[in-house]
Amino acid sequence: MSGTKPDILWAPHQVDRFVVCDSELSLYHVESTVNSELKAGSLRLSEDSAATLLSINSDTPYMKCVAWYLNYDPECLLAVGQANGRVVLTSLGQDHNSKFKDLIGKEFVPKHARQCNTLAWNPLDSNWLAAGLDKHRADFSVLIWDICSKYTPDIVPMEKVRLSAGETETTLLVTKPLYELGQNDACLSLCWLPRDQKLLLAGMHRNLAIFDLRNTSQKMFVNTKAVQGVTVDPYFHDRVASFYEGQVAIWDLRKFEKPVLTLTEQPKPLTKVAWCPTRTGLLATLTRDSNIIRLYDMQHTPTPIGDETEPTIIERSVQPCDNYIASFAWHPTSQNRMIVVTSNRTMSDFTVFERISLAWSPITSLMWACGRHLYECTEEENDNSLEKDIATKMRLRALSRYGLDTEQVWRNHVLAGNEDPQLKSLWYTLHFMKQYTEDMDQKSPGNKGSLVYAGIKSIVKSSLGMVESSRHNWSGLDKQSDIQNLNEERILALQLCGWIKKGTDVDVGPFLNSLVQEGEWERAAAVALFNLDIRRAIQILNEGASSEKGDLNLNVVAMALSGYTDEKNSLWREMCSTLRLQLNNPYLCVMFAFLTSEAGSYDGVLYENKVAVRDRVAFACKFLSDTQLNRYIEKLTNEMKEAGNLEGILLTGLTKDGVDLMESYVDRTGDVQTASYCMLQGSPLDVLKDERVQYWIENYRNLLDAWRFWHKRAEFDIHRSKLDPSSKPLAQVFVSCNFCGKSISYSCSAVPHQGRGFSQYGVSGSPTKSKVTSCPGCRKPLPRCALCLINMGTPVSSCPGGTKSDEKVDLSKDKKLAQFNNWFTWCHNCRHGGHAGHMLSWFRDHAECPVSACTCKCMQLDTTGNLVPAETVQP
Amino acid sequence: VWDKSESGDWHCTASWKTHSGSVWRVTWAHPEFGQVLASCSFDRTAAVWEEIVGESNDKLRGQSHWVKRTTLVDSRTSVTDVKFAPKHMGLMLATCSADGIVRIYEAPDVMNLSQWSLQHEISCKLSCSCISWNPSSSRAHSPMIAVGSDDSSPNAMAKVQIFEYNENTRKYAKAETLMTVTDPVHDIAFAPNLGRSFHILAIATKDVRIFTLKPVRKELTSSGGPTKFELHIVAQFDNHNSQVWRVSWNITGTVLASSGDDGCVRLWKANYMDNWKCTGILKGNGSPVNGSSQQGNSNPSLGSNIPSLQNSLNGSSAGRKHS
């Protein structure tokens, strides 16, 4: 800071102020600018803070070092060490009228003038100020002053009086220090040891010395070159850092012979080293001509007993600004905050960040630790569901019972949120497949049912007889087109595509009507056209144009359609085939492609990717010959498999091919939920046994568990065992009689040892009602419930005691719960138990087992037992 | 240890001082094994903790009681990471240490957490900083563990190695080395597999990197040998503009969060074309970074902010999740 290089200091107590000193002292006030605009005249320190200049003090020339008074009052008292060795107390700000007024302007004068290198206030006795000076042959270099001392020497040298010319200046000169130390030596740095008020560590010329003011003749010292910038770790009072050239030495005062550690040498000499006051073991260092502050994170508390392990040091560097940094200062209280000043006096305020460790919770909230705070961040409620992550989507879908509607299968896509066209196609496909499988089973049991679930690809392959094509008349037009005669397989395919309804009726009318109702006029028109009914197509388009939500342009399209001519070289044909590519709606586009195509080549329709797969396949079934159709389906299937497009399930069905397709869908989206439900819907056993399918189901169950959707998971398991009987688990719990050792469900269920689940132990429906309280095997009584003391097997009666009875009403409201009340429950630890309902209400108020003299805390033994399933918490 | 109450508030229910050095990491075991934690420390040990309930009236004071079940003292140097294996492998624990050895322990009896036997020692030749189990429970994938190194020596060696368990030799063998990662690696994380046919691995080094490992189908490779992988780097982001410290996947492995020296938390997500991009930036103190609101609509909002009493220097506080 010798004139050119500024230094910077935070006020020790007024934490929003700092001082920059070079040739003068400037006091700044820091303000947050998060909520306000930058005020005129203030300097920007960082993105969210700015500094305003409060006052400038240029009373003290030749400043060499500055130290801020550590006490609360007076606030802005600073000690300035000057080039001539004098130490001047000066103030910044307004408190001239305070009781400490007489302190300001006080000077402490050494006997011989030489440069003052360092100043240090005693942290415990706030009036003590230590000054370190350059060497003088006949004088001491460490002087400790008491700023309150009233002592003035008898003889005041004349020149000093002149220097401080003025009123009563003589009383402000102090020439007698409290202590004098280090004769004939130089002092480069000083710091008080927090261990004791009277211990002073000084970096002398070629040694570090600890002076004990209780006995000034004694000092402890160690020879070293690292004597600059001695500073004590505020968190670990025996740890001291000092530096020399480019090297930092860390000392342990308990083992003072040699440094415990030296940090890697920097190529340039260091200028400042400082411990972070808000964080243990963090040391910041600055070298000359650099824009980087290097931080050393000493993670290990050094022990005095020789530990052979090297302390771990994490080295980091921060670059707060682009210019060379002149000095820096840690903020005294704000965590890891630091202000730096560059040689041209630009300042910058920044925070050194700790490693942020983070973790996701299963419900998509992110938690991280930053500084001493934990932050939790949740996903914003966002209606734009396309942006939602699949994890959130799946969780919401699980809540809306997605996949569980096995009657109206197509409704599942509505449960999924009715937003994904692929899911819509998938569930409609599955719906049709289910419908026609049942249909076929009714007609000829055990025949082709499985074929339906095998997809159109297999259906088309299975068609044996050659299909004749025949010419059909366009309705309303004088034209004929080749159309394949529909055999049974093709009709089935068309049915799966949804074009025609159940039965032998080959009429697309109902389908068109439903499309029109849903407002899909373009699609309806295209389908009508593909069925050679151009009048109907035009009519649909008109309808669309006149409806509320419809597009008026549809009228124009209808007009264009009506101008259709069969003429090969007509203007209409030419214009349509070029202009159709500019149509936005793919269905309008394919309509013209169809009309302008040559007979037998429909690539414009078949390979228009924006048209739904089911419509393209249906079109292909209508117009392509067997070989063409097979080739087309094959090609499309591979395309779908590659892309993981769920519309392709229509082609592959729930076969191995379908699993392949689903695999690439899962790879792409991670949606195991859809994969699990879809595969359970109707896959043959060998497909269900596919490792991948099992793996998806397993993953989905784990997901439900992780979300605490235990009821959903149970529901899924029930659903699964309905559709895939092989996955039904065997009974895992048996209640056996104390006397004969046989399962008490022995006689209740038809199949012994494979009881049909726990609910069967409930007695309400037992045929031997009179003997419900005894073991069906040996007729001995069942154990008694610990609470009502009635033998198990009896239905739960209303409990005595007024308070309990309304709870009972609560429980019995739900029929299922009421049944559950009759179940056996017992503690695995103390073996006491009784009716589940009684136990539940007991443990609602008690921690200990209801059996007297048993101190088992049954309910707390299972930590997860106290958790509420997440579904019930969710709205 | 923090517990979330039913009203959604977090309460610190336990905190204790045990290791004689910095605690590097804390990790939960699958709840199937009870409430079990493992911690590892600079003091060359790793410890397994279990919550005890019902013994005292701690619950009344809102505190829970944790006991140390075992201390794993095999390492001669700082233990830098500890991770429980996926639950289908049983109760297994992997540690890695600065001397470059990955140790895999197993508790043969899940009811007795004080018995852990050292099953494997894998030497990585490089000072290890982080490990990650492949969470895939598919039988098609053998157990796999990825190890990252923060060795800062200038020689450009690959810092990420992947080891795979070989059924025949009953040993872990090196299956893959990510040659392109040569800078010190601070964290590594396999994404939850969720039925995918490939694995996703995120690496925190001087930037965020995401790799996919697609196993070449077993039929094609000679049986018994290590699985071959098709390795692709699908994303590499240097937006942190500094060292990246931690990476973490959400439950489906579709969103990655990373934290870096710039004091920001960033979220990464892939679109349907498998292009990864940033969907959110937050400063460490939870305030949104200027201009990040344009980055994506899923800019997360801050839920809560809990001042913690303990000094979570290395982020070793643990929130309890129930699954």
Side-chain angles (χ1 to χ4, degrees), chain B residues 151-168:
Chain B
D151 192 293
S152 55
S153 56
N155 55 341
M157 278 176 71
K159 294 295 194 301
V160 175
Q161 299 170 44
I162 294 166
F163 295 91
E164 193 189 36
Y165 185 67
N166 189 317
E167 281 297 336
N168 298 345

Side-chain angles (χ1 to χ4, degrees), chain A residues 299-300 312 316 353 355-357 360 368 370 372 374-376 378 389 663 667 670 672 695-696 699 857 860 867, chain B residues 10 22 42 53-54 136 138 193-195 197 245 248-250 254 259 261 263 284 301 303-304 306 308 315 322:
Chain A
Q299 289 288 345
H300 188 49
T312 325
R316 291 168 63 183
F353 284 100
R355 288 181 179 196
I356 297 172
S357 73
W360 284 96
W368 71 84
C370 176
R372 269 162 220 168
L374 285 174
Y375 296 92
E376 186 183 11
T378 50
D389 187 58
E663 183 179 26
D667 281 356
V672 280
Y695 186 42
W696 294 330
N699 266 297
K857 291 193 171 62
Q860 287 178 11
L867 291 172
Chain B
W10 291 90
S22 301
F42 177 77
V53 277
S136 167
S138 165
N193 181 274
L194 212 76
S197 59
W245 291 118
S248 172
W249 290 101
N250 74 339
T254 44
S259 73
D261 233 355
S301 64
S304 66
I306 309 113
S308 92
H322 296 291

Side-chain angles (χ1 to χ4, degrees), chain B residues 208-219:
Chain B
V208 179
R209 290 185 207 189
I210 303 169
F211 285 90
T212 57
L213 292 109
K214 193 171 177 64
V216 175
R217 289 269 152 94
K218 263 274 165 21
E219 300 91 83

